[in-house]
Amino acid sequence: MTNLLSNLLEDTNNEKDLLVGVCSIDNPLLDSFQDNINKILPSARSLIVVIASHSKGALISDNNQVKQYDTIYTYERVRDISMKLTRELEFEDYNAAAVPAFIPLDVMSERKGMKGEICWRTASVASGLGKIGKNNLLITEPFGPRIRIGGLLTEHPPINTKSENRELLTHPKCNSCTNCQKNCPKEALSDYSTNKKLCGDYIFAYGLRKYSDQMENIINSNPDKRKNLLRDGTTRELWQNFMTGCYYYCWNCQISCPD
Ligand code: B12
């Protein structure tokens, strides 16, 4: 029984761009997510965390589409591995459910898409996969903060409890380094916390707010201006973001980290 999860984790960890870990859903770091976990899979006993690495070359590129393309791939990698693990576990009669790494998110309640069902940075610390940096991101040994994180819940009992952490650990290498803070174009980072409004407005330059503004402009314009707005660069960029599902415009806190 225990071999199944151990083997699955070992096989996945053998892939060079991946990191996988597990923690018990009783881990105190998951306390504030218990209601969400219970709603997703009431019989859950373990949380498996799946991390995939970005391409460093893509993220340091000056071409935003290249960075978005790599981000789409990295999220897909996390999703595919998480989905694969759910199927493997269910073939052996352990129910499992993958939890979104990013979107879809609950955008209807007061959370407004700014809170995940599970905070993957916290879950990763709980699973022993890394520590929190001053950039408020998870920093991993092999890939630094240049990663995407997701995972799944399963009723398979947890293993490797020795590698679990029970408190939110900060990364010792951050020490006196403030590269991430200095390189944030909006000065949104203070030690281990993020000004979400400043950051969000910048990284989602063509996101929901831009969409609402563009709609409002279109509605309030005369027919000639409306025709132009419907065909301008903003409408085209918004349309492309809807198509790709990726609407990021900044990765500086991931790139500027020397780790
Ligand atoms: C909403 C969201 C955002 C929002 C809000 C960010 C935030 N800090 O919550 C905005 C739009 C601003 C955002 C920005 C970015 N995001 Co974002 N985001 C999310 C999302 C979907 C939910 C996060 C959430 O639930 N936040 C609510 C609470 C939990 O967050 P919080 O208030 O920051 O809580 C932390 C602090 O309070 C801190 N804390 C509290 N007490 C203490 C005590 C101690 C001792 C310490 C050390 C820390 C600490 O620890 C908590 C956990 O780290 C997650 C995916 C997910 N489900 O986890 C991705 C996620 C966090 N984002 C990610 C990324 C990469 C980014 C960006 C780089 C944008 C981009 N290009 O992709 C920036 C980075 C901004 C930054 N440096 O903080 C990655 C992080 C990867 C990593 N290495 O950690 C995630 C995990 C997506 C993914 N699946 O990979 N994001």
Side-chain angles (χ1 to χ4, degrees):
M1 173 187 83
T2 313
N3 276 349
L4 169 67
L5 192 48
S6 311
N7 292 343
L8 286 175
L9 295 186
E10 198 183 317
D11 286 352
T12 316
N13 271 320
N14 277 338
E15 304 217 25
K16 284 191 182 141
D17 64 328
L18 299 177
L19 260 186
V20 198
V22 62
C23 68
S24 159
I25 61 146
D26 299 329
N27 188 302
L29 285 176
L30 302 182
D31 278 356
S32 55
F33 308 107
Q34 287 305 330
D35 286 350
N36 301 346
I37 290 173
N38 206 31
K39 211 164 163 188
I40 296 168
L41 187 69
S43 57
R45 295 185 64 190
S46 306
L47 174 64
I48 301 175
V49 177
V50 176
I51 293 180
S53 75
H54 273 284
S55 141
K56 210 169 176 176
L59 286 203
I60 60 172
S61 160
D62 261 345
N63 181 312
N64 204 65
Q65 286 83 35
V66 165
K67 298 195 242 210
Q68 290 184 338
Y69 195 42
D70 192 74
T71 303
I72 293 165
Y73 171 80
T74 314
Y75 270 133
E76 279 174 2
R77 185 89 169 112
V78 167
R79 190 203 54 202
D80 287 354
I81 298 297
S82 303
M83 292 297 179
K84 179 172 171 271
L85 291 173
T86 61
R87 275 34 171 203
E88 302 266 9
L89 285 156
E90 291 191 347
F91 292 147
E92 301 298 329
D93 285 335
Y94 294 104
N95 281 343
V99 183
F102 167 48
I103 46 174
L105 283 161
D106 173 7
V107 291
M108 303 283 273
S109 72
E110 79 288 347
R111 291 202 250 161
K112 290 186 178 164
M114 289 300 267
K115 220 166 177 207
E117 297 299 313
I118 289 170
C119 171
W120 289 119
R121 289 160 290 162
T122 303
S124 305
V125 175
S127 310
L129 297 178
K131 295 181 181 139
I132 306 291
K134 279 188 184 167
N135 53 10
N136 200 14
L137 297 175
L138 184 84
I139 302 188
T140 61
E141 193 64 42
F143 316 122
R146 293 167 300 281
I147 50 163
R148 298 285 148 173
I149 321 164
L152 55 137
L153 290 162
T154 174
E155 55 192 26
H156 193 293
I159 50 159
N160 291 343
T161 42
K162 268 185 276 166
S163 59
E164 278 192 40
N165 290 309
R166 303 185 148 253
E167 54 186 303
L168 214 45
L169 303 168
T170 55
H171 204 286
K173 282 196 193 160
C174 289
N175 201 3
S176 58
C177 178
T178 53
N179 271 11
C180 55
Q181 292 165 3
K182 285 192 292 221
N183 282 287
C184 174
K186 288 289 152 186
E187 298 181 16
L189 297 175
S190 39
D191 288 6
Y192 311 103
S193 85
T194 310
N195 182 322
K196 294 171 192 170
K197 166 111 179 66
L198 285 179
C199 174
D201 281 354
Y202 189 74
I203 62 167
F204 299 142
Y206 291 85
L208 179 61
R209 202 156 293 146
K210 190 64 143 198
Y211 171 73
S212 306
D213 289 348
Q214 182 79 343
M215 286 298 119
E216 207 173 352
N217 284 341
I218 289 169
I219 290 162
N220 293 332
S221 296
N222 64 42
D224 277 349
K225 195 170 174 213
R226 186 176 304 147
K227 206 169 172 182
N228 287 335
L229 286 170
L230 280 165
R231 286 160 183 76
D232 73 2
T234 297
T235 298
R236 286 202 297 274
E237 184 74 355
L238 287 165
W239 172 80
Q240 181 165 253
N241 290 350
F242 291 149
M243 297 298 286
T244 63
C246 186
Y247 42 96
Y248 292 119
Y249 291 83
C250 182
W251 289 257
N252 278 18
C253 54
Q254 290 183 286
I255 305 161
S256 57
C257 179
D259 210 39

